[in-house]
Amino acid sequence: MKTFNFTVRTSKETRAVLGRGMANIPALFPGLFRSADKICLVTGTDAPNSLRARALELFPESRQRHFYFRLPPSETAKTLEQAGKLCAFLFDKGFSRNSLIIAAGGGAVTDLAGFAASIYMRGINWVSVPTTFLAQIDAGLGGKTAVNLAGAKNIAGTFYQPALAVCDTAFLDSLPHAELRSGTGELVKYAMIGPVELARTVKKNLSKVLTGDKAALTSSVSACAAYKLKLVSKDERDETGPRETLNFGHTAGHAFEAMSGSRLPHGEAVARGIRFALIASMKTGLLKREAFTDLNALVSALRLPPARAVRRDFRRFLGLVSRDKKARGANNRFLLIQSRGRLKAAENLDPALLKEAFEGALK
Ligand SMILES: NC(=O)c1ccc[n+]([C@@H]2O[C@H](COP(=O)([O-])OP(=O)(O)OC[C@H]3O[C@@H](n4cnc5c(N)ncnc54)[C@H](O)[C@@H]3O)[C@@H](O)[C@H]2O)c1
């Protein structure tokens, strides 16, 4: 087991543990669990039974029994209505400011349960237990919580760190191939934004991750989680630059996801958003052709299925990117790339250039 301790500058200390087949987490963090008067385990209705069984090995019931709350599947969980239902459930069961939420699931579950934890009684402790590959390398760490609004992604949310994040790669044994592939969308992002050693680790593991190789999954989670936590500790609220690099590919990616009615998995949308950013970077002259070919090969290695669920509606795309929260009032704002690890924000890009990138990304 590997333990990361990190302190975020603007809020409370938060810890993360990583390993495979861990058990009895409360014994490792007695202070956090002993002080909890009630515990609610939040999972998704579409999670396999093995997920709940593993979660109970990590968090066995002790002196107090757990309460259980199940969210609707995947992205349909990320609504204000569901956050309200979870808060009302907690209130009904007598949860106080000393109570604890454990969110065990993919990024949709950790985003929604973290959001509810941040607003219930103005904030109670929560533990993030990401159970998909994507959530273990990204979504379940860093304290960004959110719900979707009006067909757009993550429009209402908070920065609210979990008191503890637990990444147990044994959860990944039950993950379907499509979810592994979705996670690799975020994995290739790290190879583009991170230092050379991280890029090497990603390239070494990429094809093995797609086959569910346990060692490659654990090595990738360890490297990416450590890097993400480092960026979060430098720039928790995404204000000073380091954390923004994690959004690479996400402006177009979120638009593709929204334009598919959430049928395109998040990681596949991000992979297509990364291809969009690579094409736009080359068309603006920032990225040389040889570098484009190298970086684009990583996206091609994912062998993405056709993005049939995304409607080819460029006007809607322009509308969505102009209202993206990262646009900060510009017509559009994208993170472009000059070379691995060197990213640059560009605003108000020409719609003709964007259209070429849009079509190339969805090919
Ligand atoms: N907060 C952040 O920093 C951040 C970062 C990246 C992505 N996200 C968000 O994360 C979400 C995507 O997360 P995701 O890719 O985990 O998708 P998801 O949460 O929709 O889960 C995908 C599917 O995997 C199932 N599943 C979960 N764990 C499983 C397991 N161990 N075995 C078998 N099936 C399992 C779920 O039940 C679900 O059907 C998006 O909403 C995205 O916006 C948030």
Side-chain angles (χ1 to χ4, degrees):
M1 186 178 76
K2 199 165 175 175
T3 308
F4 303 104
N5 282 302
F6 74 108
T7 311
V8 290
R9 196 164 41 90
T10 51
S11 64
K12 61 189 179 188
E13 173 160 312
T14 164
R15 285 160 294 183
V17 284
L18 168 86
R20 190 182 156 77
M22 293 180 279
N24 201 0
I25 297 294
L28 298 174
F29 301 93
L32 175 64
F33 289 86
R34 228 184 273 133
S35 62
D37 59 359
K38 285 191 163 66
I39 293 179
C40 180
L41 180 64
V42 180
T43 56
T45 44
D46 54 344
N49 290 336
S50 60
L51 186 152
R52 291 189 194 94
R54 178 96 282 275
L56 284 175
E57 280 175 53
L58 290 174
F59 305 98
E61 291 189 326
S62 55
R63 65 189 163 84
Q64 83 267 64
R65 69 178 182 91
H66 292 163
F67 292 82
Y68 295 92
F69 190 87
R70 292 186 184 188
L71 291 165
S74 292
E75 211 60 23
T76 57
K78 287 181 55 173
T79 63
L80 280 176
E81 188 194 0
Q82 284 304 324
K85 281 188 178 166
L86 175 51
C87 289
F89 174 85
L90 298 174
F91 185 65
D92 183 52
K93 302 297 177 200
F95 276 59
S96 74
R97 295 207 65 191
N98 290 335
S99 304
L100 181 67
I101 292 179
I102 299 174
V109 169
T110 53
D111 272 10
L112 186 282
F115 179 64
S118 74
I119 57 173
Y120 183 71
M121 297 202 171
R122 300 206 176 91
I124 63 171
N125 274 337
W126 73 292
V127 178
S128 175
V129 188
T131 63
T132 61
F133 180 54
L134 187 144
Q136 292 192 352
I137 62 174
D138 197 341
L141 306 162
K144 276 190 183 177
T145 82
V147 296
N148 305 326
L149 278 182
K153 290 275 299 178
N154 301 339
I155 297 304
T158 53
F159 289 94
Y160 193 68
Q161 295 297 331
L164 174 67
V166 179
C167 295
D168 188 333
T169 55
F171 278 115
L172 308 183
D173 295 353
S174 57
L175 207 58
H177 176 73
E179 295 302 335
L180 281 177
R181 186 176 50 211
S182 174
T184 54
E186 295 282 9
L187 183 65
V188 298
K189 174 188 79 180
Y190 284 103
M192 300 195 188
I193 67 169
V196 65
E197 316 81 68
L198 182 58
R200 258 193 227 119
T201 305
V202 170
K203 285 180 191 162
K204 192 173 98 194
N205 288 330
L206 187 55
S207 59
K208 291 186 190 158
V209 162
L210 285 164
T211 66
D213 181 280
K214 294 181 174 62
L217 286 164
T218 302
S219 151
S220 305
V221 170
S222 169
C224 297
Y227 186 65
K228 174 157 186 182
L229 294 178
K230 195 167 138 190
L231 296 182
V232 171
S233 65
K234 285 186 184 160
D235 178 20
E236 184 191 14
R237 297 179 70 87
D238 205 353
E239 286 167 342
T240 58
R243 189 170 184 162
E244 190 184 15
T245 60
L246 291 162
N247 298 333
F248 184 56
H250 280 61
T251 302
H254 279 163
F256 296 151
E257 206 177 340
M259 290 165 74
S260 76
S262 297
R263 278 180 294 151
L264 188 67
H266 178 76
E268 283 184 35
V270 167
R272 291 190 179 276
I274 289 174
R275 177 163 281 155
F276 175 98
L278 294 178
I279 298 172
S281 303
M282 187 172 64
K283 296 285 173 196
T284 56
L286 189 68
L287 182 66
K288 299 261 161 36
R289 177 161 280 282
E290 312 82 74
F292 169 83
T293 306
D294 271 4
L295 295 175
N296 192 40
L298 279 171
V299 182
S300 302
L302 306 186
R303 298 178 186 282
L304 296 173
R308 290 202 187 90
V310 183
R311 287 188 52 216
R312 284 5 184 214
D313 182 344
F314 183 61
R315 280 171 67 101
R316 168 118 200 270
F317 176 80
L318 286 182
L320 283 165
V321 298
S322 72
R323 283 182 297 142
D324 187 276
K325 59 188 177 310
K326 299 181 287 298
R328 303 174 188 188
N331 284 339
N332 59 65
R333 183 174 190 276
F334 293 93
L335 275 183
L336 300 185
I337 188 164
Q338 190 166 6
S339 59
R340 184 198 43 73
R342 291 183 71 192
L343 273 64
K344 202 174 159 192
E347 289 182 356
N348 301 324
L349 293 180
D350 176 17
L353 181 152
L354 297 181
K355 189 150 197 288
E356 279 189 69
F358 174 81
E359 279 161 8
L362 293 176
K363 236 187 229 157

